[in-house]
Amino acid sequence: MKILVTVKRVPDPETSIKVKPDGTGIVTDNIKWVVNPFDEIGVEEALRIKEKVAGSEVVLVSIGDKVAQEQLRTGLAMGADRAILVLADDLDPLGVARVLAKLVDDEKPDLIIMGKQAIDDDSNAVGQMLAELLGWPQGTFASQIELSDDQKSASVTREVDGGLETLSFPLPGVITADLRLNEPRYASLPGIMKARKKELKEIPVADLGVDVTPRVTITKMEPPPSREAGKIVASVEELVNLLHTEAKVI
Amino acid sequence: MAADLFSTPEHQLFRDTVRKFVEEELAPRAREFDEQGHFDKSLYKKMGALGMLGLKYDPRWGGAGLDWSYTAIMFEEIARGDNAGVTMGISVHTDMATPSLHAFGSDELRTRFLIPAIEGATVSAIAVTEPDAGSDVAAAKTRAVRDGDTWVINGSKMYITNAATADWLCLLAVTDPEAGYGGFSQIIVPTDTPGFSYQLLDKIGNRGSDTGLLFFEDVRVPVANTIGDIGRGFQQQMMQFQDERLVACLSANAGAERLWEVTKKYCEERVVFGKPLSKMQVTQFKFVEMLTQITAARELAYECVRRRLRGEDATMDISMAKLFTGRMTRYVADECIQLHGGFGYMRESAAGRAFVDTRLISIGGGADEVMIQYVARMLGF
């Protein structure tokens, strides 16, 4: 079966993020960039399916700057078969979903796996929008995925409030990966070397003929308020008093 | 970082892979390995699966066929696992006990011993040093006497890393006492051979690896276990030593850099007399002095790597690099303990452990004095 997996380039979650003074975005100098951790889980899940279902193909897609090649190379080194990079400036979730829908028309995958959200803007929207645009069933926040023996349908377990929910639906479909779906492998050295020869196709977004005019614009970004220094109090009375009058928590 | 050495996306991907392995499998257990006196043999299998154990070796034997730049990346990252003993155990296996086998071993020996070693299914040790023959390798007395198609080995080897873990040894033995430097041979000895035994030694540092005294009492192995030609063991071993020294430099430099970072973070958080230690000029001076030394050592080691990449002889540079790195790491560990204060004197602190671990760099793989002697000879004194 053919599985399409998204791979977004995002700042390393361990990087300390600074907002630009004019509030138009974040400072990108000296940031380490990685594969969106939820997408990485998606790649791992696709590779596990490929290992079970003979003749499967895993195709990675990224949308962004040319440098997103690095993240696609990481996915190829993990074991994906080929990659597509759509060259585009920042798109909003609907723009991304439309680009992906167009690629699905061309690639005709049996399954799309993507991270439930990207950790940079946390929109958590593209998977749902893509399913709607395609008219496909969706299983979001998957913590477990099982395919039927004939790979014609999928059952997706989701962690919901107070328990687990299991959905079953026919394929093709869209599944978004949650944190506990799996633990992604590291790229092995042989995998890294093999990835050099794998196809990485670049497509300018204009060539796809998709309307990506943004409907959402970011008006301003600001850092969270910085924490103030603590205070040492002399007595319990003073502490209780301050909790009451200053912190107003009791 | 030396952009010319680590220029391709593959270099970066490999560094990421080793870093993740170290962060998940080695660093969180650094103190546990010290306490148990060795690290888990199963980690070799994981490293083998990731392709880490045969970087420079021919793909015919399961290696990756890559150049020295990848070895540099691997040991720089492993050194960030905060356990010099683990680094030593791994490097003995990949770059000290197996290079001769790869370069000179028969196809049969390489099939039987090198392939499983690169897979991580077996672990190797290098048995050269003896109670009365350390840096003066030619004084080694362990004797292999030929009995038909069999070597009969008697003697002992001292300070051998991976003593308990190893499945086989690359042993340097005297095969012709009359032939001087032409009287040694390198012989593979499986550690389950009758007559072989070991006794573990209690080291002050590098406690994450098992080091021992090995005994050979009528140990019989086939003459076919000889690596390369009989009588060429000393020369082959001298070549094998070069790799060992460069790996020691690369990992020790990265370890010093890591300790510098850890200590800087500590000094930024530790408040003394109302302000962080790092805001005091006397502290800042120390950090700048240390980083200058670390950078100088690293660049010298990188120059050795470049020479290796160009296929040039690097003996003189490697000897100087090892001399310099040994002293630098001791100085950095000492300063970092001082900056940590009382906490630095605890085994819990990376500085405290580095203080005893780094002391070995100036001794192992040829002592400082031997490095100086080599260079003096090469300069024509």
Side-chain angles (χ1 to χ4, degrees), chain B residues 135-155:
Chain B
S135 295
D136 178 14
V137 173
K141 290 191 177 61
T142 294
R143 183 83 166 89
V145 177
R146 192 165 180 158
D147 174 15
D149 289 338
T150 307
W151 290 119
V152 183
I153 302 162
N154 280 286

Side-chain angles (χ1 to χ4, degrees), chain A residues 14 32 40 70 73-74 77 183 185-190 192-193 195-196, chain B residues 9-10 12-14 16-17 20-21 24-25 49-51 55 64 66 70:
Chain A
E14 284 172 33
K32 181 171 170 13
E40 203 175 6
E70 289 172 18
R73 288 273 169 223
T74 302
E183 279 190 33
R185 69 194 67 191
Y186 329 127
S188 72
L189 186 59
I192 291 168
M193 294 303 151
R196 279 194 296 196
Chain B
E10 288 73 34
Q12 190 53 50
L13 284 168
F14 182 58
D16 287 348
T17 287
K20 275 188 206 160
F21 173 79
E24 287 177 24
E25 305 277 356
L50 290 171
L55 296 179
L66 295 168
Y70 286 85

Side-chain angles (χ1 to χ4, degrees), chain B residues 12 28 33-34 37 94 158 199 211 235 255 260 266 306 335-336 363 370 381:
Chain B
Q12 190 53 50
F33 296 144
D34 265 12
T94 56
M158 189 64 160
Q199 182 189 327
T211 301
Q235 291 73 16
W260 184 90
Y266 181 83
R306 286 188 195 99
E335 289 283 37
C336 287
I363 301 170
V370 175
F381 283 105

Side-chain angles (χ1 to χ4, degrees), chain B residues 45-230:
Chain B
K45 275 201 183 119
K46 290 185 184 178
M47 285 186 276
L50 290 171
M52 288 162 65
L53 300 179
L55 296 179
K56 293 191 290 289
Y57 295 153
D58 194 323
R60 207 175 144 203
W61 314 111
L66 295 168
D67 63 41
W68 256 94
S69 60
Y70 286 85
T71 302
I73 288 173
M74 180 161 111
F75 283 102
E76 286 183 344
E77 293 302 323
I78 287 181
R80 299 179 65 90
D82 293 337
N83 191 311
V86 172
T87 310
M88 186 166 75
I90 296 168
S91 60
V92 160
H93 179 63
T94 56
D95 287 83
M96 302 180 197
T98 46
S100 284
L101 172 61
H102 178 258
F104 307 109
S106 66
D107 282 3
E108 199 244 323
L109 274 189
R110 290 188 287 197
T111 305
R112 271 179 60 210
F113 293 98
L114 190 58
I115 291 176
I118 291 173
E119 286 170 350
T122 59
V123 178
S124 56
I126 173 75
V128 173
T129 299
E130 295 187 6
D132 296 314
S135 295
D136 178 14
V137 173
K141 290 191 177 61
T142 294
R143 183 83 166 89
V145 177
R146 192 165 180 158
D147 174 15
D149 289 338
T150 307
W151 290 119
V152 183
I153 302 162
N154 280 286
S156 61
K157 293 284 174 183
M158 189 64 160
Y159 311 128
I160 306 304
T161 304
N162 294 344
T165 311
D167 298 288
W168 58 268
L169 313 167
C170 174
L171 172 79
L172 185 71
V174 177
T175 44
D176 180 358
E178 308 302 316
Y181 292 117
F184 292 88
S185 300
Q186 285 180 308
I187 302 166
I188 290 187
V189 180
T191 53
D192 58 1
T193 313
F196 170 77
S197 61
Y198 67 87
Q199 182 189 327
L200 287 176
L201 299 168
D202 190 16
K203 305 191 293 298
I204 61 166
N206 276 261
R207 296 180 74 93
S209 80
D210 45 316
T211 301
L213 173 57
L214 313 183
F215 304 98
F216 303 85
E217 290 171 78
D218 292 331
V219 171
R220 299 177 75 89
V221 297
V223 170
N225 277 19
T226 311
I227 297 172
D229 295 330
I230 294 170

Side-chain angles (χ1 to χ4, degrees), chain A residues 94-116:
Chain A
L94 186 60
V96 173
R98 282 178 170 161
V99 167
L100 291 175
K102 177 68 176 65
L103 290 178
V104 168
D105 280 349
D106 300 337
E107 291 285 338
K108 304 201 173 10
D110 304 291
L111 176 62
I112 300 166
I113 305 181
M114 41 205 305
K116 68 170 179 177

Side-chain angles (χ1 to χ4, degrees), chain A residues 21-39:
Chain A
D22 64 3
T24 55
I26 61 165
V27 181
T28 52
D29 302 342
N30 297 321
I31 280 189
K32 181 171 170 13
W33 297 87
V34 297
V35 175
N36 172 35
F38 292 111
D39 286 338

Side-chain angles (χ1 to χ4, degrees), chain A residues 11-221:
Chain A
D12 188 324
E14 284 172 33
T15 304
S16 75
I17 299 290
K18 292 194 183 72
V19 174
K20 282 188 204 162
D22 64 3
T24 55
I26 61 165
V27 181
T28 52
D29 302 342
N30 297 321
I31 280 189
K32 181 171 170 13
W33 297 87
V34 297
V35 175
N36 172 35
F38 292 111
D39 286 338
E40 203 175 6
I41 293 169
V43 174
E44 174 64 34
E45 195 65 19
L47 294 175
R48 291 186 190 187
I49 294 172
K50 179 183 149 91
E51 281 158 9
K52 270 188 236 155
V53 182
S56 293
E57 185 185 26
V58 176
V59 183
L60 307 178
V61 182
S62 194
I63 303 170
D65 209 301
K66 202 174 168 70
V67 285
Q69 273 193 4
E70 289 172 18
Q71 281 61 45
L72 289 171
R73 288 273 169 223
T74 302
L76 292 173
M78 286 169 74
D81 296 290
R82 59 190 172 88
I84 300 167
L85 173 57
V86 178
L87 296 165
D89 293 333
D90 285 344
L91 304 184
D92 67 1
L94 186 60
V96 173
R98 282 178 170 161
V99 167
L100 291 175
K102 177 68 176 65
L103 290 178
V104 168
D105 280 349
D106 300 337
E107 291 285 338
K108 304 201 173 10
D110 304 291
L111 176 62
I112 300 166
I113 305 181
M114 41 205 305
K116 68 170 179 177
Q117 66 199 70
I119 60 153
D120 50 359
D121 55 24
D122 279 338
S123 293
N124 181 3
V126 173
Q128 295 86 333
M129 287 176 172
L130 176 61
E132 176 62 24
L133 289 175
L134 295 169
W136 286 7
Q138 58 179 290
T140 53
F141 314 116
S143 63
Q144 202 186 332
I145 300 174
E146 280 189 43
L147 300 182
S148 61
D149 290 343
D150 62 0
Q151 293 100 44
K152 298 280 186 223
S153 65
S155 119
V156 170
T157 305
R158 321 170 69 228
E159 290 177 358
V160 293
D161 283 349
L164 300 173
E165 177 186 62
T166 303
L167 308 174
S168 292
F169 49 84
L171 293 180
V174 179
I175 297 177
T176 70
D178 207 341
L179 186 65
R180 279 173 288 275
L181 179 59
N182 60 48
E183 279 190 33
R185 69 194 67 191
Y186 329 127
S188 72
L189 186 59
I192 291 168
M193 294 303 151
K194 267 187 221 153
R196 279 194 296 196
K197 297 190 187 84
K198 290 178 179 173
E199 179 189 300
L200 196 162
K201 189 163 78 174
E202 293 182 6
I203 307 174
V205 70
D207 292 5
L208 293 174
V210 175
D211 176 17
V212 291
T213 319
R215 298 189 178 201
V216 178
T217 50
I218 294 169
T219 50
K220 194 175 178 217
M221 276 199 197

